[in-house]
Amino acid sequence: MTKIPHRLYLTEDQMPRQWYNLRADMKEQPDPLLNPGTLEPLRTEELYPIFCEALARQEMDGQTRFFDIPEPVREVYKMYRPSPLIRAYNLEKALGTPAKIYYKFEGNNTSGSHKLNSAVAQAYYAKEQGITRLTTETGAGQWGTALAEACSYFGIDLDVFMVKCSYEQKPFRKAVMGVFDARVTPSPSMTTEAGRKILSENPDTTGSLGCAISEAVESAVSTPNSRYVLGSVLNQVLLHQSIIGLESALAMEQLGEYPDVVVGCAGGGSNLGGLIAPFMRDKLTGIRNPRIVAVEPASCPSFTRGKYAYDFCDTGKVTPMARMYTLGSGFIPSANHAGGLRYHGMSPILSKLYHDGYMEAVSYKQTEVFEAAVRFAKLETILPAPESAHAIKGAMDVALQCKETGEEKTILFGLTGTGYFDMTAYESYLNGSMNDHVPTDEELQKGFDSLPDIPQNKNI
Amino acid sequence: MTKIPHRLYLTEDQMPRQWYNLRADMKEQPDPLLNPGTLEPLRTEELYPIFCEALARQEMDGQTRFFDIPEPVREVYKMYRPSPLIRAYNLEKALGTPAKIYYKFEGNNTSGSHKLNSAVAQAYYAKEQGITRLTTETGAGQWGTALAEACSYFGIDLDVFMVKCSYEQKPFRKAVMGVFDARVTPSPSMTTEAGRKILSENPDTTGSLGCAISEAVESAVSTPNSRYVLGSVLNQVLLHQSIIGLESALAMEQLGEYPDVVVGCAGGGSNLGGLIAPFMRDKLTGIRNPRIVAVEPASCPSFTRGKYAYDFCDTGKVTPMARMYTLGSGFIPSANHAGGLRYHGMSPILSKLYHDGYMEAVSYKQTEVFEAAVRFAKLETILPAPESAHAIKGAMDVALQCKETGEEKTILFGLTGTGYFDMTAYESYLNGSMNDHVPTDEELQKGFDSLPDIPQNKNI
């Protein structure tokens, strides 16, 4: 038998031409979005002032199994995709595990992560509708960079509200977005009502994704011909990100492999939802039964310590309400360098699947995550993003379990991106100043107290 | 006819198993290295205190056409190679050129550049000889990062002398090297005699590659079981970097293409020498006749305004002397953000080829280089390193010439790396504060005055 290569790239011809919509195979749909005023299920049209129409329809469509990837989007995908499926031979050897470890690496593009997959789609649909300006938020800065690239490509203006602590920790992210002509504002800012309100209540806040979302949404809906876009959590984002899983499944098939365990980091769910899509489909339809493991930071543990409840997607409470695993939109996560995972909620699709027992979740403290990141970098030559390192740590632990049991399992994890803009974080790890704070029950309770007091939340 | 794909990756099986030594096909060899004391041609053994033996032999071997790539080196290559050959469809379209533009992209690894190709080889040979510590210099930081990765992989200690202005402009480069356990010292430093001497003469100097080389060499030869390694200029480095050109030639052959023009940036020559290797071979052996174009910064114009003379490779004048295009080891280039191109000399192999008329050279000011870089990033989704952007600008100009003449030429250029650690430079471009100083004739003369006053230099 030929040895399996270190890296497998699909050819351009083999690239998927459709995205896969996981909801079409779910036995029960995620609970509907609610209009916060009426508490009635949201109608698609009600989303049109916020999202452009094609995206609003994708957001609400639980039936259509496959969506054609528009030709112009595929043309951009071809500029940085397919991404490689990599066999982690050195990591396996160093761990002494009988398990085979594969990872799908999404970091080899200038956004530095998988975020470009949805950014290109969202910018394209906006362009199609004649939208001239988009707004968004960014935490770690990867989504903002991705969207800046996509908007520059399609000729759309972009305003990015960047979580203040990331803005300060990662000055060069702002510069990259600037190369692509995006305007970047640290959030909370005085440019929106939501920002001013948050600042008046908490002048020293370093911001949060939830808060930046409030500002970006307000800025979009109050400006003509503008729309808001989001890089995670939403159903449409998971749809676009299914390209990750579809490519992974094809590549593994070519190698004669199938993952027994699929591991992904989970912040809002964009990568995890995309990575697991075809494998979860097999599970939902009874064809195969892979273990699916979500990995989150112990400092922001939506799955492992959150509640499955209706909540706002933002801190300013201007968005529709979604039923999801949440720590409450008022939860303030402690400083954690995985900015992309510092979100109070979780994708409603993934939340439903987790609630129904199709997935597991684990959490890790950031020091052990960075320990895994540095070990991985030395063995596999890729310096991972802090977010991605959560998946590495999760996969390593599964591989070490295999070592104990002697099981030759096949593990697939998602390496979402590179850590080149996260060196402040690495420095704090290397010099021992990293903070491992985990929220106390009292701190969590404060977040839960911010949950909407509505009938749907009575029994949580 | 099938459309040529955007990206072509060779398979692992197709990867070259040998490096190609350009000297074996040169009609005249480059002039020999000289012992600065005796002015006699250097013997291989005289290099053993500086370089490990296998590398010293590669350095001096003008006969052996192909060197087997050792298996452990190939194993590391497989972790980040083959690198893609990319068709720049969008750039072609934006320029309105009939030319076809391809580029070989070496930036998709954590060192961010092609430098890893030689770092892995040099660290491997050191390990084989039982060397426990290496020293080197780094300008832009890409070589230092590459070597840090390679040394970490093979278990060798590493001391990096980093040009002070880069050390200050790129604090995060130091952190990346730290992840891979390298010690980084800003140069000139007080830790070496060479550094102390340079500082006493010029306390405010922001350093130079030539100066960092002096310190690294001194640190190696004065410490047991240590050797010095260099990321460019040397014959051995061009040998290792031939992997770039060999892969490019194979990939182009698969597409039924051959470059009419090959364009590469030139600092010390590591990328250019590697990229052009198989194409220059065709030229030397009379099989084909591609144009070969070297692109350098106008602020450090070794080819276009330098002299072909014997010179020291370092500022402290501790190295052997090489005949090359040089601005004089005492030349201080003005601040330029392409730190990897701020070197007074040039590969002796490339210098000889240029002198004998096999290559052309052009120079550009940095503002026009960054203009090309930003345009390229928006069109091709990759943010280039400032060094690489010189090749982009060069290739764009060739393509625009084709537009004028209507010639459908095939252009290949080398995109050596990514600019994620160069955001200070991009910021200065974007805010209009970039300096375009070009050395005056008087400034150049000062550099030439530092050339060794030896018989071989009498007729320059």
Side-chain angles (χ1 to χ4, degrees):
Chain A
M1 203 184 112
T2 320
K3 193 183 167 193
I4 286 177
H6 288 68
R7 302 194 151 211
L8 183 70
Y9 290 92
L10 301 176
T11 65
E12 200 169 276
D13 289 343
Q14 294 167 334
M15 283 175 66
R17 288 162 181 261
Q18 295 183 309
W19 293 304
Y20 166 61
N21 183 9
L22 196 46
R23 282 167 291 171
D25 287 303
M26 287 171 70
K27 293 193 180 40
E28 289 179 28
Q29 289 288 301
D31 291 296
L33 293 173
L34 297 186
N35 177 317
T38 65
L39 299 186
E40 291 296 316
L42 209 70
R43 287 172 296 111
T44 306
E45 303 75 48
E46 291 179 90
L47 283 173
Y48 289 171
I50 305 180
F51 300 132
C52 61
E53 297 182 11
L55 292 166
R57 287 193 298 271
Q58 289 181 352
E59 190 62 28
M60 303 295 271
D61 185 340
Q63 308 303 316
T64 308
R65 187 167 277 110
F66 291 100
F67 285 83
D68 287 338
I69 307 176
E71 179 66 26
V73 173
R74 286 178 51 223
E75 281 301 303
V76 185
Y77 281 0
K78 286 176 193 169
M79 291 169 70
Y80 70 96
R81 306 197 68 80
S83 68
L85 179 74
I86 306 178
R87 175 79 181 266
Y89 281 116
N90 285 329
L91 180 60
E92 290 172 15
K93 197 172 158 193
L95 295 175
T97 177
K100 289 184 278 189
I101 307 176
Y102 290 91
Y103 58 99
K104 179 73 166 169
F105 179 41
E106 292 286 323
N108 274 350
N109 66 72
T110 285
S111 83
S113 81
H114 67 295
K115 294 288 185 183
L116 197 50
N117 301 329
S118 186
V120 172
Q122 296 194 49
Y124 164 76
Y125 287 119
K127 181 75 179 177
E128 276 293 288
Q129 193 180 318
I131 300 300
T132 54
R133 171 179 173 264
L134 290 174
T135 71
T136 197
E137 77 297 320
T138 197
Q142 295 177 329
W143 167 247
T145 308
L147 194 64
E149 281 199 73
C151 284
S152 160
Y153 183 86
F154 287 110
I156 297 173
D157 280 350
L158 175 63
D159 272 294
V160 179
F161 291 86
M162 186 169 186
V163 177
K164 196 181 274 174
C165 67
S166 291
Y167 185 92
E168 286 161 3
Q169 275 174 11
K170 305 187 185 187
F172 294 149
R173 274 278 178 207
K174 173 178 172 291
V176 181
M177 291 185 258
V179 167
F180 296 100
D181 298 331
R183 283 177 300 270
V184 185
T185 306
S187 167
S189 76
M190 296 299 282
T191 68
T192 64
E193 241 177 75
R196 288 189 290 273
K197 181 158 181 287
I198 291 161
L199 281 172
S200 74
E201 288 165 6
N202 192 353
D204 298 328
T205 179
T206 55
S208 69
L209 272 173
C211 158
I213 293 172
S214 302
E215 293 202 83
V217 171
E218 179 186 326
S219 172
V221 298
S222 61
T223 312
N225 221 14
S226 289
R227 290 295 183 283
Y228 165 73
V229 295
L230 177 63
S232 193
V233 183
L234 298 174
N235 302 334
Q236 59 187 273
V237 174
L238 267 68
L239 175 70
H240 307 148
Q241 295 294 359
S242 68
I243 187 90
I244 304 172
L246 294 168
E247 280 187 10
S248 302
L250 274 170
M252 294 202 83
E253 198 183 326
Q254 282 188 19
L255 300 174
E257 296 276 22
Y258 191 91
D260 300 301
V261 191
V262 184
V263 183
C265 60
S270 67
N271 163 70
L272 183 68
L275 174 70
I276 68 175
F279 308 109
M280 184 58 86
R281 183 186 189 197
D282 292 345
K283 192 160 179 147
L284 290 166
T285 56
I287 295 173
R288 305 286 292 242
N289 193 25
R291 264 181 76 192
I292 310 277
V293 184
V295 187
E296 61 184 13
S299 60
C300 196
S302 334
F303 270 139
T304 50
R305 298 175 71 195
K307 290 195 191 300
Y308 189 48
Y310 267 103
D311 196 6
F312 290 96
C313 300
D314 67 324
T315 308
K317 305 191 175 184
V318 301
T319 64
M321 288 190 280
R323 191 168 181 207
M324 57 185 175
Y325 278 85
T326 178
L327 300 164
S329 65
F331 177 75
I332 306 277
S334 63
N336 181 297
H337 289 291
L341 305 182
R342 293 179 80 224
Y343 181 64
H344 68 276
M346 180 57 66
S347 146
I349 293 177
L350 295 180
S351 293
K352 175 69 176 163
L353 290 166
Y354 180 67
H355 192 66
D356 291 349
Y358 290 99
M359 290 170 44
E360 309 160 36
V362 291
S363 73
Y364 293 107
K365 294 183 187 176
Q366 65 175 345
T367 297
E368 55 189 343
V369 167
F370 274 83
E371 193 182 347
V374 168
R375 189 170 187 192
F376 180 84
K378 290 179 179 174
L379 289 166
E380 295 285 323
T381 78
I382 297 171
L383 187 79
E387 293 81 5
S388 325
H390 286 74
I392 295 172
K393 172 66 178 161
M396 281 169 62
D397 276 3
V398 174
L400 289 172
Q401 290 155 15
C402 290
K403 185 178 179 178
E404 280 183 26
T405 61
E407 288 173 292
E408 293 179 28
K409 287 191 177 165
T410 299
I411 301 166
L412 168 67
F413 74 88
L415 191 72
T416 53
T418 50
Y420 308 142
F421 291 92
D422 299 286
M423 296 320 300
T424 305
Y426 275 96
E427 277 177 335
S428 84
Y429 168 73
L430 292 172
N431 69 24
S433 67
M434 186 158 266
N435 172 339
D436 262 346
H437 180 72
V438 169
T440 61
D441 289 341
E442 290 70 30
E443 285 167 332
L444 285 185
Q445 193 53 52
K446 270 192 198 170
F448 296 143
D449 290 344
S450 71
L451 285 170
D453 184 21
I454 61 172
Q456 288 88 340
N457 281 353
K458 285 303 171 204
N459 297 321
I460 56 167
Chain B
M1 203 183 112
T2 320
K3 192 183 168 193
I4 286 177
H6 288 68
R7 303 195 148 208
L8 183 70
Y9 290 93
L10 300 176
T11 65
E12 199 169 279
D13 290 343
Q14 294 168 333
M15 283 175 67
R17 290 163 180 260
Q18 295 184 309
W19 293 304
Y20 166 61
N21 183 11
L22 195 47
R23 283 167 291 171
D25 287 303
M26 286 170 70
K27 293 192 180 42
E28 289 179 29
Q29 289 289 300
D31 290 297
L33 292 173
L34 297 185
N35 177 318
T38 64
L39 299 187
E40 291 296 315
L42 208 70
R43 287 172 295 110
T44 305
E45 303 75 48
E46 291 180 272
L47 283 173
Y48 289 172
I50 304 180
F51 299 132
C52 63
E53 298 183 10
L55 292 166
R57 286 193 298 272
Q58 289 181 352
E59 189 63 29
M60 303 295 270
D61 186 341
Q63 308 303 315
T64 307
R65 187 166 277 110
F66 291 100
F67 284 84
D68 286 338
I69 307 175
E71 179 65 27
V73 173
R74 286 177 52 223
E75 280 302 302
V76 185
Y77 280 0
K78 287 175 192 169
M79 291 168 71
Y80 69 96
R81 305 196 68 79
S83 67
L85 179 75
I86 306 179
R87 175 79 180 267
Y89 281 116
N90 285 329
L91 181 59
E92 289 171 16
K93 197 172 158 194
L95 296 175
T97 178
K100 290 184 276 190
I101 307 176
Y102 290 91
Y103 57 99
K104 179 72 166 169
F105 178 41
E106 293 285 322
N108 273 350
N109 67 71
T110 284
S111 82
S113 81
H114 67 295
K115 294 287 185 183
L116 198 49
N117 301 330
S118 186
V120 172
Q122 296 195 49
Y124 164 76
Y125 287 119
K127 182 74 179 178
E128 276 294 287
Q129 192 179 317
I131 301 301
T132 54
R133 170 179 173 265
L134 290 174
T135 71
T136 199
E137 77 298 321
T138 197
Q142 294 176 330
W143 167 247
T145 308
L147 193 65
E149 282 198 73
C151 284
S152 161
Y153 184 86
F154 286 111
I156 296 173
D157 280 351
L158 175 63
D159 272 294
V160 179
F161 291 86
M162 185 169 187
V163 177
K164 196 181 275 174
C165 67
S166 291
Y167 185 92
E168 285 161 3
Q169 274 173 11
K170 305 187 186 187
F172 294 149
R173 273 278 178 207
K174 175 177 171 292
V176 181
M177 292 185 256
V179 167
F180 295 101
D181 298 332
R183 283 176 301 270
V184 185
T185 306
S187 169
S189 77
M190 295 299 282
T191 69
T192 65
E193 241 177 75
R196 288 189 292 271
K197 182 158 179 291
I198 291 161
L199 281 172
S200 75
E201 289 165 5
N202 192 352
D204 298 328
T205 179
T206 54
S208 70
L209 272 174
C211 159
I213 292 173
S214 302
E215 294 203 83
V217 171
E218 179 186 327
S219 173
V221 299
S222 61
T223 312
N225 222 14
S226 287
R227 290 295 182 282
Y228 165 71
V229 294
L230 177 62
S232 193
V233 183
L234 299 174
N235 302 334
Q236 60 188 272
V237 174
L238 267 67
L239 175 71
H240 307 147
Q241 295 294 358
S242 68
I243 188 89
I244 304 172
L246 294 168
E247 280 186 11
S248 302
L250 274 170
M252 294 203 82
E253 198 183 325
Q254 281 188 19
L255 299 175
E257 295 276 22
Y258 191 91
D260 299 302
V261 191
V262 184
V263 182
C265 60
S270 68
N271 162 69
L272 182 68
L275 174 70
I276 68 174
F279 308 109
M280 184 59 85
R281 182 185 189 198
D282 291 345
K283 192 160 179 148
L284 290 167
T285 56
I287 295 173
R288 306 286 293 242
N289 192 26
R291 264 181 77 191
I292 310 278
V293 183
V295 186
E296 60 184 15
S299 61
C300 195
S302 334
F303 271 139
T304 50
R305 298 176 72 196
K307 291 194 190 300
Y308 188 48
Y310 266 102
D311 197 6
F312 290 96
C313 299
D314 67 323
T315 307
K317 306 191 174 185
V318 302
T319 64
M321 288 190 280
R323 191 166 181 210
M324 57 185 176
Y325 277 85
T326 178
L327 300 164
S329 65
F331 177 76
I332 305 278
S334 63
N336 180 298
H337 289 291
L341 305 183
R342 292 179 81 226
Y343 180 64
H344 67 276
M346 180 57 67
S347 146
I349 293 177
L350 295 180
S351 292
K352 175 69 176 163
L353 290 166
Y354 180 67
H355 192 65
D356 291 349
Y358 290 99
M359 289 169 45
E360 309 159 36
V362 291
S363 73
Y364 293 107
K365 294 184 188 176
Q366 66 176 344
T367 297
E368 56 189 342
V369 167
F370 274 83
E371 193 182 348
V374 168
R375 189 169 187 193
F376 181 84
K378 289 179 179 174
L379 289 165
E380 294 286 322
T381 79
I382 297 171
L383 187 80
E387 292 82 4
S388 325
H390 286 74
I392 296 172
K393 172 65 178 160
M396 281 168 64
D397 276 4
V398 174
L400 289 172
Q401 289 155 15
C402 290
K403 186 178 178 179
E404 281 184 25
T405 61
E407 290 173 291
E408 293 180 27
K409 287 192 176 163
T410 299
I411 301 166
L412 168 67
F413 74 87
L415 192 72
T416 54
T418 49
Y420 308 141
F421 291 93
D422 299 286
M423 296 320 299
T424 305
Y426 275 96
E427 277 177 336
S428 83
Y429 168 72
L430 292 172
N431 69 26
S433 67
M434 185 158 267
N435 172 340
D436 262 346
H437 180 72
V438 169
T440 61
D441 289 341
E442 291 69 32
E443 285 167 333
L444 284 186
Q445 192 53 52
K446 269 192 197 170
F448 296 142
D449 290 343
S450 72
L451 285 171
D453 184 21
I454 60 172
Q456 287 86 342
N457 281 354
K458 285 303 172 205
N459 296 322
I460 56 167

Short mmCIF file of all heavy atoms in Angstrom, two decimals, chain B residues 390-413:
data_model
loop_
_atom_site.label_atom_id
_atom_site.label_comp_id
_atom_site.label_asym_id
_atom_site.label_seq_id
_atom_site.Cartn_x
_atom_site.Cartn_y
_atom_site.Cartn_z
N HIS B 390 8.83 43.50 -4.84
CA HIS B 390 9.72 43.95 -5.91
C HIS B 390 9.54 43.10 -7.16
O HIS B 390 9.55 43.60 -8.29
CB HIS B 390 11.18 43.91 -5.44
CG HIS B 390 11.54 45.01 -4.48
ND1 HIS B 390 11.12 45.01 -3.17
CD2 HIS B 390 12.23 46.16 -4.66
CE1 HIS B 390 11.56 46.11 -2.58
NE2 HIS B 390 12.24 46.82 -3.46
N ALA B 391 9.40 41.79 -6.96
CA ALA B 391 9.20 40.90 -8.11
C ALA B 391 7.83 41.15 -8.76
O ALA B 391 7.69 41.10 -9.98
CB ALA B 391 9.32 39.45 -7.66
N ILE B 392 6.83 41.43 -7.91
CA ILE B 392 5.50 41.74 -8.46
C ILE B 392 5.60 42.96 -9.37
O ILE B 392 5.10 42.95 -10.51
CB ILE B 392 4.49 42.03 -7.31
CG1 ILE B 392 4.28 40.78 -6.46
CG2 ILE B 392 3.18 42.55 -7.87
CD1 ILE B 392 3.46 41.03 -5.20
N LYS B 393 6.24 44.00 -8.86
CA LYS B 393 6.37 45.24 -9.65
C LYS B 393 7.12 44.95 -10.95
O LYS B 393 6.73 45.41 -12.03
CB LYS B 393 7.10 46.29 -8.80
CG LYS B 393 7.48 47.56 -9.54
CD LYS B 393 6.28 48.37 -9.99
CE LYS B 393 6.71 49.66 -10.68
NZ LYS B 393 5.60 50.19 -11.51
N GLY B 394 8.18 44.16 -10.84
CA GLY B 394 8.94 43.82 -12.04
C GLY B 394 8.10 43.06 -13.05
O GLY B 394 8.11 43.36 -14.26
N ALA B 395 7.34 42.08 -12.56
CA ALA B 395 6.51 41.27 -13.45
C ALA B 395 5.39 42.11 -14.06
O ALA B 395 5.05 41.96 -15.25
CB ALA B 395 5.93 40.08 -12.68
N MET B 396 4.83 43.02 -13.27
CA MET B 396 3.77 43.89 -13.79
C MET B 396 4.30 44.74 -14.93
O MET B 396 3.64 44.93 -15.96
CB MET B 396 3.18 44.77 -12.67
CG MET B 396 2.18 44.02 -11.79
SD MET B 396 1.72 44.92 -10.26
CE MET B 396 0.92 46.36 -10.94
N ASP B 397 5.51 45.25 -14.76
CA ASP B 397 6.07 46.09 -15.82
C ASP B 397 6.35 45.30 -17.09
O ASP B 397 6.12 45.80 -18.20
CB ASP B 397 7.33 46.80 -15.32
CG ASP B 397 6.98 48.08 -14.55
OD1 ASP B 397 5.77 48.33 -14.36
OD2 ASP B 397 7.90 48.81 -14.14
N VAL B 398 6.81 44.06 -16.94
CA VAL B 398 7.01 43.22 -18.14
C VAL B 398 5.66 42.97 -18.81
O VAL B 398 5.54 43.05 -20.04
CB VAL B 398 7.69 41.88 -17.76
CG1 VAL B 398 7.75 40.96 -18.97
CG2 VAL B 398 9.09 42.13 -17.21
N ALA B 399 4.64 42.71 -18.01
CA ALA B 399 3.31 42.45 -18.57
C ALA B 399 2.76 43.69 -19.29
O ALA B 399 2.08 43.58 -20.31
CB ALA B 399 2.36 42.01 -17.46
N LEU B 400 3.08 44.86 -18.76
CA LEU B 400 2.62 46.10 -19.40
C LEU B 400 3.38 46.36 -20.70
O LEU B 400 2.81 46.90 -21.66
CB LEU B 400 2.75 47.28 -18.43
CG LEU B 400 1.73 47.25 -17.27
CD1 LEU B 400 2.04 48.34 -16.25
CD2 LEU B 400 0.29 47.39 -17.80
N GLN B 401 4.65 45.96 -20.71
CA GLN B 401 5.39 46.04 -21.98
C GLN B 401 4.72 45.15 -23.03
O GLN B 401 4.58 45.52 -24.18
CB GLN B 401 6.85 45.62 -21.78
CG GLN B 401 7.71 46.61 -21.00
CD GLN B 401 8.91 45.95 -20.31
OE1 GLN B 401 9.28 44.82 -20.64
NE2 GLN B 401 9.50 46.66 -19.36
N CYS B 402 4.29 43.97 -22.59
CA CYS B 402 3.60 43.05 -23.52
C CYS B 402 2.31 43.67 -24.04
O CYS B 402 1.90 43.44 -25.17
CB CYS B 402 3.27 41.73 -22.82
SG CYS B 402 4.72 40.74 -22.46
N LYS B 403 1.67 44.44 -23.17
CA LYS B 403 0.44 45.11 -23.59
C LYS B 403 0.75 46.09 -24.73
O LYS B 403 0.01 46.15 -25.72
CB LYS B 403 -0.16 45.86 -22.39
CG LYS B 403 -1.51 46.49 -22.64
CD LYS B 403 -1.99 47.16 -21.37
CE LYS B 403 -3.31 47.86 -21.56
NZ LYS B 403 -3.74 48.49 -20.28
N GLU B 404 1.84 46.81 -24.59
CA GLU B 404 2.22 47.75 -25.65
C GLU B 404 2.57 47.07 -26.95
O GLU B 404 2.19 47.51 -28.03
CB GLU B 404 3.42 48.61 -25.19
CG GLU B 404 3.01 49.73 -24.27
CD GLU B 404 4.19 50.62 -23.90
OE1 GLU B 404 5.16 50.67 -24.68
OE2 GLU B 404 4.13 51.24 -22.83
N THR B 405 3.32 45.97 -26.82
CA THR B 405 3.79 45.29 -28.03
C THR B 405 2.80 44.26 -28.54
O THR B 405 2.95 43.75 -29.65
CB THR B 405 5.12 44.57 -27.76
OG1 THR B 405 4.91 43.58 -26.74
CG2 THR B 405 6.20 45.54 -27.30
N GLY B 406 1.82 43.92 -27.71
CA GLY B 406 0.86 42.90 -28.11
C GLY B 406 1.41 41.48 -28.02
O GLY B 406 0.78 40.55 -28.53
N GLU B 407 2.53 41.30 -27.36
CA GLU B 407 3.13 39.96 -27.27
C GLU B 407 2.47 39.13 -26.17
O GLU B 407 2.33 39.58 -25.03
CB GLU B 407 4.62 40.08 -26.98
CG GLU B 407 5.43 40.62 -28.14
CD GLU B 407 6.88 40.86 -27.71
OE1 GLU B 407 7.11 41.78 -26.91
OE2 GLU B 407 7.75 40.13 -28.19
N GLU B 408 2.12 37.89 -26.50
CA GLU B 408 1.50 36.99 -25.51
C GLU B 408 2.55 36.20 -24.75
O GLU B 408 2.56 34.98 -24.79
CB GLU B 408 0.54 36.03 -26.21
CG GLU B 408 -0.67 36.72 -26.80
CD GLU B 408 -1.61 35.75 -27.51
OE1 GLU B 408 -1.63 34.57 -27.14
OE2 GLU B 408 -2.29 36.20 -28.44
N LYS B 409 3.42 36.89 -24.07
CA LYS B 409 4.51 36.20 -23.38
C LYS B 409 4.02 35.49 -22.11
O LYS B 409 3.00 35.86 -21.52
CB LYS B 409 5.60 37.19 -23.02
CG LYS B 409 6.38 37.64 -24.23
CD LYS B 409 7.64 38.38 -23.86
CE LYS B 409 8.43 38.72 -25.12
NZ LYS B 409 9.44 39.75 -24.89
N THR B 410 4.78 34.49 -21.71
CA THR B 410 4.52 33.80 -20.46
C THR B 410 5.55 34.26 -19.44
O THR B 410 6.75 34.14 -19.67
CB THR B 410 4.61 32.28 -20.66
OG1 THR B 410 3.64 31.89 -21.62
CG2 THR B 410 4.35 31.54 -19.36
N ILE B 411 5.02 34.83 -18.34
CA ILE B 411 5.89 35.40 -17.30
C ILE B 411 5.80 34.52 -16.06
O ILE B 411 4.71 34.11 -15.65
CB ILE B 411 5.45 36.84 -16.96
CG1 ILE B 411 5.50 37.73 -18.21
CG2 ILE B 411 6.29 37.41 -15.82
CD1 ILE B 411 4.77 39.05 -18.05
N LEU B 412 6.92 34.23 -15.47
CA LEU B 412 6.94 33.54 -14.17
C LEU B 412 7.68 34.44 -13.19
O LEU B 412 8.79 34.88 -13.47
CB LEU B 412 7.69 32.21 -14.29
CG LEU B 412 8.05 31.51 -12.96
CD1 LEU B 412 6.79 31.04 -12.23
CD2 LEU B 412 9.00 30.33 -13.20
N PHE B 413 7.04 34.71 -12.04
CA PHE B 413 7.81 35.43 -11.02
C PHE B 413 7.75 34.70 -9.69
O PHE B 413 6.88 33.85 -9.47
CB PHE B 413 7.40 36.90 -10.90
CG PHE B 413 6.08 37.18 -10.22
CD1 PHE B 413 6.01 37.34 -8.84
CD2 PHE B 413 4.91 37.33 -10.96
CE1 PHE B 413 4.79 37.63 -8.21
CE2 PHE B 413 3.69 37.63 -10.34
CZ PHE B 413 3.64 37.77 -8.96
#
